[in-house]
Amino acid sequence: MKTVLIIIVCLLFPMIEASASDQCRDEVFLRRVYLTVTGALPQPWESAKFIDNQSPDKREALVDKLLDSELALKYMQMHWGDILRIKSEFPSNLWPNGVQAYNRWIYEQLLHNVPYDKMVRGLLLSEGSNFRAPAANFYRGFQKRSPENFYANINLLFLGNRNCTDNGHLCFSQIKFKSTKEWKEEIIYLDYYKELPWQKVVLSDGTALTLRPRTDWREAYVDWLTSPNNRRFAEVLVNRMWYWVFGKGIVHEPDDWREDNKPSNPALLNELTDYFLKHNFDMKALMKKILLSKEFNSKMAPEGFYVAQRLPAEVIVDAIASVTGSWHTYSSRVPEPFTFYPQRTRATHLGDATVSSTELELFGKVSRDVSLESQRNNAITSRQLLYLMNSSVLEKNIRRSGILKNIYLENGDVESIANAITLRVLSRRATPQEIALYTEHMQQNELPLMELAIDIMWMQINSNEFLYNH
Amino acid sequence: MRKIYLTSILLLAICFGAYAQRAKSVILVYLDGGPAQTDTFDPKPNAGRNYFGNYKGVCKTNVEGIEIGEKLPLLAGMADKYSLVRSLTHGSNAHETGHYAMITGDTSGGAVVYPSFGAVISYMKKDSYKGILPCYISVTSANSRFNEGGFLGNSYKSFDTGGKPESKEYEVEGIVNKYINRNRLDSRMALLNKFETNPMDKQLIDSLRAVNMEFIWGDSREIFNLNNEPDSVRQRYGKSRLGQSCLVARRLVEAGVPFVNVRMTGWDTHKKHFQKMNSMLPQLDKALSALLADLDERGLLDSTIVLCGGEFGRTPKVLWEAPWNGGRAHFGKTFSYLVAGGGFHGGKVVGKTDKTGEKVAERPVAPCDLIGTIYLLMGIDPYGTLPHVSEGDLPILPSLLDEKKSYGLLYEIIDIKK
């Protein structure tokens, strides 16, 4: 019926035919958008509902729903935590108390959709106690506390500039730290009596800044940085968000903007930057635009634009936990008292690079040593495949999975078991060919139905359809 | 100047064939938490009960003039096989910065996070090492207090075996899975091959999977299989986690693995220190002495460096008061390491601490001096460089180039001359 409709539509509107056939299938879009926005797999019933939904604007409705979800906010918080290097211990040494406060601050910025320029102002103009004025952790997170190092990192983060040669660091030369009587509490303050530098501050684009005595010199710089006239500031965020979605920036690496590193699609970058500026640095609006773009909705390369990406470490570990129902319980060994995360805490929600597990390390969890996006390495390795193929821990988790047991008990035949597992692991229904394959596997190896269920789940977790966002 | 001098010596030595890589492998027996140097390799029997605690005496070793802790009699019988560095110092009393110092040789506070020396060795040997096993293996898990790969990235991190070597079946993650036999895995792989039609990195993944299948069923499985050892050998190392891990380490070194990290936790003894030492030191004594003797008997000690120590030592002064009730706290000002094999002399002591063991009295040794010496023995230029993704080439051991941070490589206990 559906096919007939499409054929009729195609005959009537040749234009639509092009766009309809360029688009990825609904089930592909569903999984892709969930993993991109929330870092989590859709629940099986959500997949079924979305696949069966006939509404023409269901994609937009889903994007709206997801962007407002707690999962999406927490996942975006992870992206920010990576580049702001949020970590209790070495090398950021924010300490658990500071990590909690800092994460909460970022979460609230995202929750209230604070415009990007305001959020960056909040970070850069912060001062006070690392426990009580959370944004001040921005400056505490640098292992090397020098104006030059602060400035180099600010350039990297907000201008994508790896090699700054101007003397803007003078604007950050008033920053001082003092300890308090509370363990690991520190006050970040400004030395307002510092003598004005004798040099003039001249930024890379030739702008000269005037610093006045007994004022916060950072303000002069931040005003310049976050101004809509400073187009690069907006462009870098636009490109970074594109990178977070596609794994490849329009300018790539996303934190390496140079004269000789040109955007692959200048028109697209311009269009998105105009949109972002027109919406006053609204990050959520920008994200929505990207998610509804024809690029994000396209088929996988080479037919379409979208290039498959191996899932990030935290996402893979969470995905395996959510399909088997066996969650790792995370704890922080930072003294004292130790922190024990509630059961079923997602790896994407840990918020602290000091907290880890063997699996997270194996799949390349970001250690947050530096602010470079390239610190996240999503290349598939033989060790990761070895783990998936033959880990006894994974085998136990599948074998003892209550979820799998229930699927087995509730469904009596290969087809319904395969559908239930596939919906959970791959967010789609099993194809007739696959069901034939499973039946053959069961007969050839003389497996009882439950053992077949175990093999199907094992196999799907091993499949690249599972390991990749596609 | 020093660098040019050393490089020219290296070049000369290579020309005359005198300088070759002395050691092939390193076994780091890492006592995580910080072992008490005064209870192990630097006892102070004359400092009184407030320092010496409840021990009755010390062990005289088979080398004239060297004494070690009372609880290490087996190691005392073989002091000619190892040397003691008693004057290590980095001054850090926090676990993570102590680990960082001892595992990277860098001092914390810089803008860059350095890789662990295991990762550096695995990076340096990546072309020459042809073994089937990973270059850098942790039995059973690495210390994850900081990013061990540092700026070299994930690829040079250790392979963590997981599992329990002291149990009946040592389940090495990804290699030994007792639920699944070969037929079952073969049938699963066949199913996966038929199922997989997606193009994503398919060629790469298929080839990696094929290599893994050989790896799982090939020699590696037998190398990790401790049941291949006679029971007498297993008993010799002790049936503790540490003992059997050391036995795994010997088997790995025999198979040519360049870096093995054996980690024993539980050394952070703020409370009940002496009770814990009573059970932990005999385990260490048995395991480490067996490892050294076994390597020696097999002719492997000459090419295998064995190191033993932690991220720092513990306060020489006992905290008798509540809440510690006889504990020792973190102490980075001075502590000891045992070094053996691979070109290190035996029967020597480097450095000296004062009467109570609270200060270095002679010849301080920085972490970079120890790690630099290991690089030298492993045929790696300690004044060489490592590539950083955005900073260009960085010195392999920056502290070694800083006179305030380095006191000189340990030339006094190796054959290579300055």
Side-chain angles (χ1 to χ4, degrees):
Chain A
M1 183 63 201
K2 209 167 156 189
T3 336
V4 177
L5 255 175
I6 290 176
I7 291 170
I8 294 170
V9 170
C10 293
L11 285 173
L12 290 175
F13 306 100
M15 290 289 287
I16 296 176
E17 182 215 32
S19 74
S21 66
D22 281 351
Q23 275 208 351
C24 61
R25 291 193 314 274
D26 279 345
E27 63 214 48
V28 173
F29 176 79
L30 172 85
R31 188 177 186 273
R32 188 186 288 174
V33 76
Y34 256 91
L35 288 168
T36 305
V37 177
T38 69
L41 291 174
Q43 293 292 346
W45 55 87
E46 289 169 321
S47 308
K49 212 169 101 186
F50 186 78
I51 294 167
D52 298 337
N53 184 348
Q54 298 299 322
S55 155
D57 54 359
K58 65 178 180 177
R59 291 195 181 190
E60 186 173 353
L62 179 66
V63 165
D64 282 334
K65 186 187 105 176
L66 287 184
L67 282 176
D68 283 330
S69 68
E70 171 88 5
L71 280 172
L73 296 171
K74 285 275 176 81
Y75 192 52
M76 195 50 92
Q77 179 191 311
M78 184 189 89
H79 283 312
W80 284 106
D82 284 348
I83 55 171
L84 296 174
R85 303 167 319 279
I86 301 183
K87 187 171 189 180
S88 282
E89 280 196 327
F90 187 81
S92 306
N93 287 318
L94 295 179
W95 208 245
N97 214 340
V99 166
Q100 300 283 340
Y102 202 3
N103 273 319
R104 185 76 207 169
W105 186 85
I106 289 169
Y107 179 79
E108 276 168 6
Q109 305 293 303
L110 300 170
L111 178 68
H112 302 302
N113 196 21
V114 173
Y116 178 58
D117 59 330
K118 299 274 180 320
M119 177 169 146
V120 173
R121 282 190 82 85
L123 285 170
L124 295 189
L125 298 178
S126 59
E127 53 187 310
S129 149
N130 53 330
F131 294 167
R132 284 154 242 274
N137 282 290
F138 178 78
Y139 289 105
R140 252 196 118 251
F142 296 103
Q143 205 191 177
K144 189 172 173 189
R145 292 174 174 177
S146 68
E148 290 82 358
N149 192 40
F150 296 148
Y151 190 62
N153 276 285
I154 289 166
N155 264 271
L156 179 70
L157 279 165
F158 305 117
L159 295 173
N161 176 12
R162 289 188 183 185
N163 191 10
C164 59
T165 47
D166 63 59
N167 64 354
H169 62 84
L170 291 170
C171 300
F172 298 88
S173 58
Q174 294 165 301
I175 297 171
K176 289 264 169 14
F177 297 83
K178 67 179 171 197
S179 50
T180 71
K181 282 187 177 159
E182 192 174 337
W183 176 239
K184 299 275 183 183
E185 189 192 30
E186 239 181 348
I187 309 282
I188 290 88
Y189 70 101
L190 296 173
D191 178 6
Y192 284 107
Y193 290 88
K194 193 178 166 71
E195 260 184 59
L196 276 175
W198 58 270
Q199 302 127 293
K200 236 182 143 138
V201 176
V202 183
L203 301 178
S204 52
D205 66 346
T207 308
L209 299 181
T210 316
L211 307 184
R212 290 193 196 80
R214 305 203 184 159
T215 61
D216 182 350
W217 300 341
R218 299 177 305 183
E219 263 179 52
Y221 176 79
V222 174
D223 285 346
W224 168 84
L225 176 75
T226 61
S227 155
N229 299 327
N230 182 10
R231 198 172 166 86
R232 177 58 56 83
F233 174 70
E235 282 174 333
V236 167
L237 188 276
V238 165
N239 184 55
R240 194 185 285 284
M241 212 155 252
W242 188 269
Y243 173 83
W244 285 346
V245 170
F246 293 100
K248 184 153 195 204
I250 303 170
V251 170
H252 196 74
E253 302 277 335
D255 36 33
D256 193 12
W257 288 63
R258 283 175 279 116
E259 267 307 300
D260 49 351
N261 188 19
K262 299 262 188 265
S264 57
N265 186 345
L268 177 65
L269 183 65
N270 265 332
E271 185 201 329
L272 289 170
T273 308
D274 287 342
Y275 182 86
F276 187 47
L277 287 171
K278 204 179 116 205
H279 287 79
N280 298 315
F281 297 100
D282 183 334
M283 290 192 280
K284 199 195 270 183
L286 173 66
M287 186 53 121
K288 183 174 170 181
K289 187 169 172 65
I290 294 175
L291 296 175
L292 295 177
S293 67
K294 66 174 191 306
E295 287 85 357
F296 187 76
N297 285 265
S298 76
K299 283 186 176 155
M300 226 174 31
E303 291 162 62
F305 177 86
Y306 191 87
V307 178
Q309 316 169 54
R310 204 214 75 192
L311 299 177
E314 298 86 339
V315 178
I316 287 195
V317 169
D318 284 348
I320 294 176
S322 73
V323 301
T324 61
S326 170
W327 295 80
H328 183 83
T329 304
Y330 295 95
S331 62
S332 157
R333 297 192 300 151
V334 178
E336 261 174 44
F338 296 166
T339 313
F340 293 92
Y341 286 78
Q343 278 182 354
R344 301 173 68 88
T345 299
R346 286 179 173 274
T348 44
H349 296 179
L350 290 173
D352 183 350
T354 298
V355 182
S356 195
S357 72
T358 312
E359 282 80 7
L360 285 174
E361 294 295 316
L362 177 68
F363 285 100
K365 175 178 155 42
V366 173
S367 63
R368 299 187 175 174
D369 294 344
V370 290
S371 291
L372 297 168
E373 293 284 1
S374 60
Q375 67 180 322
R376 186 178 280 287
N377 180 352
N378 284 351
I380 192 103
T381 68
S382 62
R383 275 187 212 174
Q384 293 160 3
L385 292 168
L386 186 69
Y387 170 86
L388 294 164
M389 285 162 70
N390 202 33
S391 153
S392 46
V393 174
L394 179 61
E395 181 73 30
K396 272 178 232 172
N397 287 345
I398 296 173
R399 218 154 253 285
R400 294 174 188 166
S401 164
I403 292 172
L404 194 61
K405 185 97 194 167
N406 280 340
I407 290 177
Y408 165 73
L409 292 174
E410 284 164 14
N411 301 283
D413 58 86
V414 177
E415 183 176 348
S416 55
I417 285 182
N419 268 325
I421 297 174
T422 313
L423 213 46
R424 184 165 276 279
V425 184
L426 302 175
S427 312
R428 61 173 176 84
R429 295 199 173 95
T431 64
Q433 294 92 320
E434 285 165 1
I435 290 163
L437 200 59
Y438 299 144
T439 314
E440 183 195 303
H441 178 73
M442 181 170 78
Q443 287 162 352
Q444 265 178 8
N445 297 286
E446 295 169 1
L447 296 174
L449 205 50
M450 181 60 200
E451 287 295 316
L452 174 71
I454 291 171
D455 276 10
I456 294 176
M457 188 176 263
W458 174 91
M459 193 232 26
Q460 292 191 355
I461 289 175
N462 267 275
S463 70
N464 53 18
E465 186 177 347
F466 177 73
L467 300 172
Y468 282 68
N469 196 355
H470 46 76
Chain B
M1 184 59 213
R2 194 157 61 164
K3 185 179 169 178
I4 297 166
Y5 182 60
L6 190 92
T7 317
S8 58
I9 295 237
L10 283 178
L11 275 174
L12 263 175
I14 290 165
C15 292
F16 290 103
Y19 180 82
Q21 177 183 342
R22 182 64 210 267
K24 294 199 185 90
S25 304
V26 179
I27 299 175
L28 169 64
V29 178
Y30 197 70
L31 308 181
D32 197 314
Q37 69 283 11
T38 48
D39 299 356
T40 52
F41 305 133
D42 191 13
K44 298 290 174 185
N46 302 320
R49 184 172 177 267
N50 279 347
Y51 288 88
F52 196 50
N54 293 330
Y55 298 114
K56 290 187 196 68
V58 293
C59 283
K60 283 202 185 322
T61 66
N62 65 344
V63 174
E64 181 74 29
I66 301 182
E67 294 176 341
I68 60 171
E70 186 189 59
K71 301 282 176 198
L72 304 172
L74 298 171
L75 281 168
M78 52 189 315
D80 55 321
K81 300 276 180 264
Y82 55 81
S83 290
L84 298 174
V85 182
R86 284 181 169 161
S87 51
L88 266 156
T89 176
H90 56 53
S92 173
N93 289 339
H95 288 292
E96 81 275 17
T97 43
H99 283 308
Y100 182 70
M102 287 317 301
I103 291 184
T104 67
D106 184 30
T107 51
S108 45
V112 172
V113 175
Y114 264 78
S116 66
F117 68 116
V120 171
I121 288 173
S122 103
Y123 169 76
M124 289 293 182
K125 303 286 171 202
K126 66 179 191 302
D127 298 325
S128 59
Y129 174 65
K130 302 273 184 246
I132 46 165
L133 290 166
C135 205
Y136 172 19
I137 299 181
S138 288
V139 185
T140 54
S141 68
N143 182 307
S144 55
R145 226 34 199 267
F146 69 95
N147 170 22
E148 281 226 355
F151 60 75
L152 289 177
N154 287 338
S155 338
Y156 301 101
K157 276 186 183 172
S158 79
F159 172 85
D160 293 8
T161 67
K164 296 181 183 128
E166 75 279 16
S167 68
K168 220 183 247 165
E169 193 163 13
Y170 176 26
E171 287 186 271
V172 179
E173 266 301 281
I175 300 177
V176 183
N177 175 359
K178 67 178 173 198
Y179 296 92
I180 297 300
N181 61 22
R182 185 165 193 164
N183 283 342
R184 185 70 178 272
L185 189 58
D186 282 345
S187 77
R188 281 180 169 187
M189 295 309 287
L191 178 66
L192 181 59
N193 277 335
K194 282 183 220 153
F195 175 85
E196 213 146 63
T197 49
N198 290 293
M200 294 158 281
D201 294 339
K202 185 163 168 31
Q203 269 186 327
L204 170 73
I205 289 178
D206 284 349
S207 70
L208 291 177
R209 282 193 188 126
V211 172
N212 280 344
M213 282 302 272
E214 279 181 38
F215 183 60
I216 292 169
W217 303 110
D219 296 340
S220 64
R221 192 181 196 82
E222 290 312 312
I223 293 168
F224 282 111
N225 188 354
L226 291 182
N227 295 322
N228 290 337
E229 289 288 335
D231 198 49
S232 58
V233 175
R234 295 194 72 172
Q235 295 288 354
R236 183 185 194 184
Y237 280 81
K239 287 291 180 99
S240 64
R241 164 77 56 94
L242 178 69
Q244 298 302 299
S245 299
C246 283
L247 179 53
V248 173
R250 191 220 78 207
R251 292 179 64 84
L252 292 176
V253 163
E254 239 171 357
V257 175
F259 198 99
V260 185
N261 173 20
V262 173
R263 194 164 69 98
M264 180 183 183
T265 54
W267 294 88
D268 195 16
T269 48
H270 289 276
K271 297 177 183 175
K272 291 191 177 169
H273 171 79
F274 293 99
Q275 290 94 312
K276 286 179 188 161
M277 286 304 109
N278 282 342
S279 71
M280 289 163 75
L281 288 177
Q283 284 180 35
L284 175 66
D285 191 36
K286 194 155 190 171
L288 193 54
S289 61
L291 176 65
L292 292 171
D294 200 4
L295 285 171
D296 194 30
E297 287 157 19
R298 286 161 195 267
L300 287 167
L301 191 58
D302 210 36
S303 58
T304 307
I305 297 170
V306 180
L307 298 168
C308 181
E311 66 266 43
F312 41 49
R314 304 203 81 79
T315 45
K317 193 159 192 246
V318 182
L319 305 170
W320 290 115
E321 69 274 21
W324 317 113
N325 304 318
R328 293 190 194 270
H330 305 169
F331 200 70
K333 220 160 119 191
T334 167
F335 53 100
S336 308
Y337 256 67
L338 175 148
V339 296
F344 277 116
H345 297 163
K348 292 197 181 155
V349 172
V350 178
K352 206 172 154 181
T353 53
D354 68 356
K355 246 187 343 209
T356 54
E358 285 170 307
K359 274 191 209 129
V360 175
E362 276 173 25
R363 200 328 182 183
V365 176
C368 65
D369 301 331
L370 176 62
I371 292 175
T373 310
I374 291 161
Y375 287 159
L376 200 57
L377 292 172
M378 287 292 283
I380 296 166
D381 180 1
Y383 298 95
T385 58
L386 291 171
H388 184 287
V389 58
S390 58
E391 309 281 319
D393 284 348
L394 295 177
I396 197 168
L397 278 173
S399 303
L400 213 52
L401 310 173
D402 183 341
E403 285 188 9
K404 284 187 217 114
K405 291 180 178 171
S406 162
Y407 309 97
L409 299 177
L410 303 174
Y411 286 112
E412 56 263 58
I413 50 169
I414 57 174
D415 282 331
I416 300 169
K417 290 286 160 273
K418 216 177 199 171

